[in-house]
Amino acid sequence: MPPIFTEECISCFKCAEICPCDVLRESDEGPRVAYPDECWHCGACMMDCPTNAIRLDLPLWMRPVTKRLKK
Amino acid sequence: MNIHSTDVLILGGGLAGCMAAINAAEYGVKVTIVEKSHIERSGAAGTGNDHFWHYNPDIHPERGWTIPDMVRDISFEGEYGKTKAGLMDQELLEIVAEGTMEAVNNLERWGIQFKYDKIFPWNLEYDAPEGEKKYRIVPQFQSAWDTLNYDGRDIKKILAEQCNKRGVEIFNRTSATGLMKNNGTIVGATAVNMRTGEFHVFKSKAVVMATGMDQWRLFKPYSGDWFNSQSPPTITGDGEAMAIRAGAEVFVLQAGKTSNAGFQYFRNLCRSSGAATTSYPAGRYVNSEGETMIRHPAVREPLRKHRENVEASIRDGKTPFYLDMTMASEEEIAYAEWSYKNEGLCWVILEIMQDLGLDFREDAFELDLEAAGRLTGGFLALWINTDCETNLKGLYACSPVQFAGEVAAPTAVVLGWRAGEKAAEHASKNSLIEPSSAQINEEQNRVLSPIESKEGHPWQEVNKELNNIMEEYTGYVAGWSPPGNRDEISMQGLQNCVEQLEVLSSRNMKAGDPHELVRCNEVMNLIDVGLMIVKAAMNPDQYEAGNWFIGKIIDNEPVFEKRPIKIKYPPKEEA
């Protein structure tokens, strides 16, 4: 699901500046996810956040489905 | 309305657009980029690229590879076998191959690391001068060992810096909406700002179309989510639609842009090339019993050669399939993780794996199981000659080598560079031509209508219905490219789709804000692309091997022609 902003966020809004899908906006409470259905989950915001304040929570269909095949 | 004048206008600021801008600026002309997101992270390489094939004059000739060899190899013997015969423009491919070394040298000079102190046993062993660092070369798409693995995560930031250094004028959050024409010459383009809704008019002596090589959201999304795609889901054929409306020639592949993924991708076709190419050398494709079907899935040959292993596993019910790195050495896994860190959409996988407690050393990752030859629909690209010129004077493009998706980043980088040069040369010999105010007003009304209308459908509703119509279309075009395999089609059915598309395009959309306005314009563009594709399928002449199938609008209706492909380097057995 769309980006989650932690307490480390300093409201520099670099994430909103570079988001490839234009999903984020500035607000007085920090970055706001304006278009949650349009997040590509590319991670650009996470990469460029200067304080590592962003986490992505991939929607179920994007999550790896894994198995431990090793005995 | 904001009116601007420039010499070279570049629509799209991805790899191709930025390279075009950097090169054009070297010619002393004024350069402007119009980018719908932000050039630092836009396009298919926005979140990085870890593989870049190249032709190296210091390495390949002594190993018996010439450029013609490489071109021949990519055209006829590449991953997709002879089905691709004739689907690649060899002259353009040759230009790409010839331009890759210069591109790598430029990227390196600008701050991207391609050479390393340490190379690995699975990298090509070659002689470099004493003390010099080496490239990490692996085999990937071609038979020649020519792919560089490199630190490309921030390639767009580096290119953005180079654009800024050269004084390139950049309009981010600005989506190009239409080409302007005067007496058959392209004289600029219009655009709309995605945040403010302001309408822009860019008068220009030359225009480079660099809007990306996909038409996402035209067909139903594989995993039910439009925004789960291998390249940005905002690459919606805007360039092709603008070009079509202006009368440009487009290469049409009307049925069968088969997702070449097969099982190259993770489940639900996620995460770009994370499964196959990026897992080299650690990766194996295993079946549900853990039996290795393909070792080194990234490498061209195994995927094609070991198809029978895959089919046997399917027959025996040993599905699903997995990417398994658990048998690899620590060093091999570390190398694959380094690749993931650099390849677009893959760095995020590493982060998510941390959050979910997953590890390549312990876990096998489910792959997508996609039937070979699944019809996914149609595809368009601006047709260009070897000078990156379209049929419209003043309009250049950096199309993907007339549909050859596997050539990827090098195509964008080299053809973008070339388009920039050609556009700059054209701009230095020509003057600005005024677009007509009637044309500007008509375009402004068309583009802004969703925000100005009191009521209408949300873009998502029209987009979904478009997907439904295009799904109906694929049902009528039974069969699959390559050409000649197409079963009988239903002309009545196709006509029905055309009528539905025309009704759909007449429906008003309502945008609540400038962001939604751009989404509405994307959908309008997709409908134009869809119409071209469906009408192409109704044409008595069809796509066939050895010919380009080109469409363009004349007097409001598309007209199609077959144009013979020149095979400069035929397969060796035929030569």
Side-chain angles (χ1 to χ4, degrees), chain B residues 478-495:
Chain B
W480 176 59
S481 75
N485 285 7
R486 215 162 40 84
D487 300 335
E488 195 48 53
I489 60 172
S490 165
M491 285 298 254
Q492 198 56 49
L494 293 174
Q495 180 57 31

Side-chain angles (χ1 to χ4, degrees), chain B residues 351-364:
Chain B
E351 294 295 305
I352 299 306
M353 282 168 60
Q354 258 181 57
D355 294 347
L356 298 176
L358 301 174
D359 190 332
F360 287 135
R361 295 151 188 81
E362 309 255 316
D363 300 290

Side-chain angles (χ1 to χ4, degrees), chain A residues 14 16-22 24-25 35 37-44 46-48 55-56 58 60-70, chain B residues 37-38 40-41 47 157 173 194-195 225 227 229 231-233 267-268 270-271 286 322 326 348 351-352 355 358 362-366 459 513 515 519:
Chain A
K14 183 68 182 173
E17 187 191 354
I18 52 85
C19 172
C21 291
D22 192 48
L24 303 173
R25 291 288 183 275
Y35 305 94
D37 293 342
E38 298 177 24
C39 177
W40 184 28
H41 298 83
C42 67
M46 279 172 70
M47 282 178 179
D48 290 349
R55 278 331 267 176
L56 277 182
L58 294 190
L60 298 177
W61 53 89
M62 285 194 200
R63 291 187 194 174
V65 172
T66 58
K67 207 161 197 163
R68 299 235 153 150
L69 295 175
K70 216 171 188 165
Chain B
S37 66
H38 193 292
E40 280 180 24
R41 289 289 177 204
T47 50
K157 287 176 128 45
R173 301 291 165 208
M194 202 157 179
R195 302 259 170 114
D225 173 14
F227 291 83
S229 53
S231 77
R267 185 180 166 273
N268 288 328
C270 248
R271 306 295 106 180
V286 305
Y322 297 87
T326 62
V348 153
E351 294 295 305
I352 299 306
D355 294 347
L358 301 174
E362 309 255 316
D363 300 290
F365 287 63
E366 188 178 330
W459 71 265
D513 61 34
H515 171 101
R519 295 281 176 259

